[in-house]
Amino acid sequence: DFWSQNDQNRKQDGTTVWKNVDYLVCAAQQRGMFVVMDVSAFQKFLLSRRYDSFDARNWTTFLEAVGEHYKDQNAIAMYSIVGEPPPPKSVEAMNKLVDFYRAVTDTLHQADEGHHLINAGGFIHMEDESKELPWWHKIYALPNNDIVGFKTYSLDDLHLMPTIASYAKEINKPLLDEEFGLPQRMGDAQFAGGEGYNKLYTSRAQF
């Protein structure tokens, strides 16, 4: 969380931010660990400036700088650009969204020179897709999106996992459940009872 969409004082090239990220990556390498280089916080920076965060032109300079800087860093397992796009409601909106992800994945791939895998982002509300608007199918199939990334926070998400897995197998790309979880109030080893969460009634460990 480098930036806040309510803070206009932070700079995208702030020295402290990038020293911290570099330290983290190097510390992981020294310990034989890998990191996911999730750059989605840049969306908050764009929103703080009132820019359209799903306009690829606003991401170009940032992604070029990140890809160039980290292309030879072998502690990075993959990049993740930005997830949770609003599901499109029209063919025009779908095409705009797919074009955005095509542009940002292509830009990062070129800057990184193909050294690392790229995940467009972890998606949610994927059950809102229709045959007329197959938005996540199209994004997953993009040539420089290497990972089928999704998030799991609801019963609908769980029910959709076989469909996602089947499509990932079809296009020969690995799956990544990028985020998952339940609120603490659900209980840990045993369901605490009471109100469910997104149609789920189980403990966090069972989930």
Side-chain angles (χ1 to χ4, degrees):
D1 291 333
F2 315 144
W3 297 285
S4 165
Q5 67 185 68
N6 300 314
D7 182 1
Q8 295 184 351
N9 296 319
R10 292 288 186 93
K11 298 179 179 180
Q12 71 180 62
D13 59 350
T15 303
T16 300
V17 167
W18 293 107
K19 279 186 176 179
N20 287 341
V21 177
D22 286 347
Y23 174 82
L24 173 65
V25 173
C26 291
Q29 182 178 12
Q30 291 170 1
R31 291 160 176 79
M33 300 172 66
F34 292 91
V35 299
V36 175
M37 182 59 71
D38 186 328
V39 297
S40 61
F42 186 65
Q43 183 183 46
K44 306 298 186 185
F45 175 86
L46 293 175
L47 292 172
S48 74
R49 266 59 175 184
R50 307 292 189 267
Y51 293 145
D52 181 356
S53 65
F54 284 99
D55 183 338
R57 294 170 296 184
N58 294 328
W59 287 78
T60 301
T61 301
F62 173 73
L63 293 176
E64 287 176 344
V66 169
E68 171 66 24
H69 185 67
Y70 291 111
K71 65 183 179 183
D72 296 320
Q73 175 51 259
N74 58 21
I76 295 174
M78 70 192 73
Y79 289 101
S80 183
I81 300 180
V82 62
E84 303 187 20
K89 304 298 183 184
S90 66
V91 172
E92 181 182 6
M94 177 184 70
N95 291 338
K96 181 180 178 181
L97 185 64
V98 174
D99 286 345
F100 166 78
Y101 279 106
R102 184 190 308 277
V104 294
T105 53
D106 287 356
T107 296
L108 184 54
H109 174 80
Q110 183 174 359
D112 181 70
E113 298 182 4
H115 290 182
H116 298 97
L117 298 173
I118 295 173
N119 172 25
F123 297 153
I124 57 173
H125 302 303
M126 295 166 65
E127 68 278 1
D128 293 343
E129 187 187 69
S130 66
K131 291 183 178 179
E132 295 76 24
L133 301 173
W135 61 274
W136 56 262
H137 279 77
K138 288 180 174 289
I139 295 170
Y140 282 161
L142 291 171
N144 288 317
N145 176 65
D146 304 304
I147 306 288
V148 171
F150 59 98
K151 299 182 180 182
T152 310
Y153 287 107
S154 71
L155 186 61
D156 290 337
D157 292 339
L158 291 179
H159 286 167
L160 195 61
M161 286 179 73
T163 301
I164 300 171
S166 176
Y167 185 60
K169 183 178 181 180
E170 181 182 329
I171 61 176
N172 195 32
K173 295 183 179 182
L175 288 162
L176 173 66
D177 195 343
E178 194 175 90
E179 283 184 22
F180 53 90
L182 294 177
Q184 279 188 303
R185 63 176 170 79
M186 301 293 285
D188 291 321
Q190 185 173 344
F191 177 48
E195 183 181 355
Y197 179 74
N198 294 338
K199 304 178 186 176
L200 292 166
Y201 298 89
T202 183
S203 72
R204 297 200 298 173
Q206 289 170 327
F207 178 70

